[in-house]
Amino acid sequence: LSVLGYVGLLLLIFDAGLSTPAALLLNLHNLAASLLVGLTGILVPIALSLALFHAAFRFSLLTAFAAGAALCSTSLGTTVSLLSGDMKKSRVGAVLMTAALFDDIVGLMIAGVIANLVPSSDASIHWSTIARPILVSVAFALGTPVLALIARRIVLQRRAPFAHLRHRLCSVLNVNRTHIDLLVIVSTLLAFVATSHLAGTSELFGAYLAGAFLGHVFAPLDDSIANGVSGNEDNPVLKTFTSHISNTLLHPLLSPLFFASIGASIPVDQLFTVHLPTAAGEMVKSHRVVWRGIVYSLLMIFAKAVSGVWVFVFWKKPKPKQNDEKNEKGDTTDGGGTAATSTLELEKQNDTSHVNARPTPNESASGSGSNSPDIDIQSQIRSRASNHLNEDDDDEKNEKLEKRPDSSPSSTSRLPTALLLGLAMVARGEIALVVAQLARPLLVDDQGGSGGSEEPYVIVMWAILLTTFGGALGVGFVVRWTRGRPRLD
């Protein structure tokens, strides 16, 4: 179950990298925002864990650091599954994915350090344990875009020979283009995952880079895609992956198995009762782990959600459109100007009618009993001017109704985007479970006597469980709350 779930996780992350536009990933502004969001999501949970576990719960500093290390990661699989297709291609989606990847890479590096901090381990912490994952991750992050640019240039320059070769292969092997695309997908994903594992970095990082690599190499020639406005819907590799892997294997089978593997790793039997050592060396049952776990979970939700404050720094505050203000001012002046202009035009018509259409003696004699034509024209002027003023009043009322805060683009708030970014970082999931399992020998309270208690480990399990479900529910609430409203993407 865990192996199939991990395969589903790799495919989920590969899909996220494949569907994310390269222009959003390579934007320096987005990279800076992702770095700060990721650092906030790492440092704040560790700092709050040290404060709560050591200062309030009286656990050792090493135990508190191990708990913070387990809760500093972000569930990339849960984050990917929460993002819709359009949201993955948006700016907030790119920042969220990059920050979650950064947290997972740092979490796996900390896991390698924690493995050497276990008391049963005789090996000392070597500098390569910390430096190697960092250097390898930086090399992969810098080398993959260069490799993608070179590969795309080769594909574009030799498009005709590649098309001829693909046609020959299809005819000789009796396959179609879809099989060739599937071969490219599988070989590229295996190459990146295996290379990242052997080099010492995260396989999840390799899967995401593999998707981003293919997404850029086979991106169609389109101005909108080149400008980063739209996604990679016309990418043939993405179409093949969606139709033959995502819709038939990933979402129906592997993705549910991934979430089932997370639930199977949680020790449900210990969540409500733990055995605590006493001063006399005896073990007694206690239920305090429940409220401690809930308090720590709420603290960890806040520790990750606070990373959304960077939206207020990197996302510009929307300003009301100047054209609308000019139009409003223009409507008032133009409205009065229109009425005045129409009145002058009628007066001119009155003057020209007096000059060009003078009544004959017979007409004046026959019309002597009727009203004067001057009176009729003046009444027309007054009625038409009043009509213009009424129309202007109606236009102003309609404009006020149309420019309500809920429907105006100028009323777009940064708060929904900040909540979405912060709550999407809350879910811990698979990486937190991996780090917690590695740090389990450290998550033991042995201050009360021999044997020790696994209360710190159970508290961490409470936090992983509640943050994973709480983050998903929070993102769903924000998406439903902002549905139909403009959002800064």
Side-chain angles (χ1 to χ4, degrees), residues 148-181:
L149 292 174
I150 296 174
R152 179 169 176 80
R153 178 171 295 183
I154 295 175
V155 169
L156 293 179
Q157 290 179 351
R158 301 180 179 273
R159 186 183 303 177
F162 279 124
H164 180 69
L165 178 62
R166 184 176 63 248
H167 180 71
R168 291 286 300 273
L169 288 176
C170 292
S171 60
V172 172
L173 300 177
N174 194 20
V175 295
N176 53 28
R177 181 173 178 175
T178 301
H179 297 94
I180 301 297
D181 292 339

Side-chain angles (χ1 to χ4, degrees), residues 52-233:
L52 183 67
F53 268 62
H54 183 64
F57 296 163
R58 300 299 179 183
F59 296 136
S60 65
L61 280 174
L62 193 58
T63 300
F65 175 75
L71 270 298
C72 73
S73 61
T74 300
S75 177
L76 193 56
T78 306
T79 302
V80 171
S81 62
L82 291 175
L83 297 179
S84 61
D86 294 334
M87 201 175 296
K88 292 178 185 178
K89 305 159 194 170
S90 64
R91 183 187 178 191
V92 65
V95 171
L96 177 60
M97 291 297 305
T98 310
L101 273 171
F102 180 77
D103 285 1
D104 284 351
I105 293 170
V106 174
L108 291 174
M109 289 189 297
I110 294 177
V113 176
I114 287 179
N116 291 327
L117 295 177
V118 177
S120 60
S121 178
D122 297 331
S124 60
I125 301 176
H126 195 263
W127 66 271
S128 61
T129 304
I130 301 175
R132 181 181 176 182
I134 298 176
L135 296 177
V136 171
S137 301
V138 172
F140 268 74
L142 296 179
T144 302
V146 176
L147 184 62
L149 292 174
I150 296 174
R152 179 169 176 80
R153 178 171 295 183
I154 295 175
V155 169
L156 293 179
Q157 290 179 351
R158 301 180 179 273
R159 186 183 303 177
F162 279 124
H164 180 69
L165 178 62
R166 184 176 63 248
H167 180 71
R168 291 286 300 273
L169 288 176
C170 292
S171 60
V172 172
L173 300 177
N174 194 20
V175 295
N176 53 28
R177 181 173 178 175
T178 301
H179 297 94
I180 301 297
D181 292 339
L182 288 174
L183 177 62
V184 171
I185 291 173
V186 174
S187 59
T188 304
L189 180 59
L190 289 177
F192 272 83
V193 171
T195 305
S196 60
H197 175 74
L198 294 175
T201 186
S202 172
E203 296 91 347
L204 304 179
F205 187 45
Y208 187 80
L209 291 179
F213 173 81
L214 292 180
H216 179 70
V217 172
F218 295 98
L221 294 176
D222 191 354
D223 293 334
S224 60
I225 295 176
N227 294 329
V229 176
S230 65
N232 299 334
E233 294 90 349

Side-chain angles (χ1 to χ4, degrees), residues 409-481:
S410 62
S411 65
T412 304
S413 175
R414 292 176 292 181
L415 180 60
T417 304
L419 290 175
L420 178 64
L421 180 61
L423 292 176
M425 294 283 293
V426 168
R428 298 321 199 265
E430 67 283 349
I431 302 300
L433 289 173
V434 171
V435 178
Q437 291 292 337
L438 292 174
R440 189 166 186 172
L442 299 177
L443 296 173
V444 175
D445 180 24
D446 57 354
Q447 298 179 2
S450 60
S453 170
E454 288 193 340
E455 183 185 12
Y457 176 75
V458 179
I459 293 174
V460 170
M461 288 295 105
W462 265 102
I464 294 175
L465 177 64
L466 293 184
T467 55
T468 301
F469 286 98
L473 293 176
V475 171
F477 172 76
V478 173
V479 170
R480 291 185 61 182
W481 175 51

Side-chain angles (χ1 to χ4, degrees), residues 208-270:
Y208 187 80
L209 291 179
F213 173 81
L214 292 180
H216 179 70
V217 172
F218 295 98
L221 294 176
D222 191 354
D223 293 334
S224 60
I225 295 176
N227 294 329
V229 176
S230 65
N232 299 334
E233 294 90 349
D234 296 330
N235 191 325
V237 176
L238 177 59
K239 288 183 177 180
T240 302
F241 181 83
T242 302
S243 59
H244 290 77
I245 297 179
S246 181
N247 294 338
T248 59
L249 181 63
L250 176 58
H251 293 295
L253 178 63
L254 295 180
S255 181
L257 287 178
F258 159 67
F259 291 103
S261 65
I262 294 179
S265 303
I266 298 176
V268 182
D269 55 337
Q270 299 180 2

Side-chain angles (χ1 to χ4, degrees), residues 353-367:
S353 63
H354 280 292
V355 175
N356 298 329
R358 293 181 180 177
T360 59
N362 295 331
E363 291 176 350
S364 61
S366 61

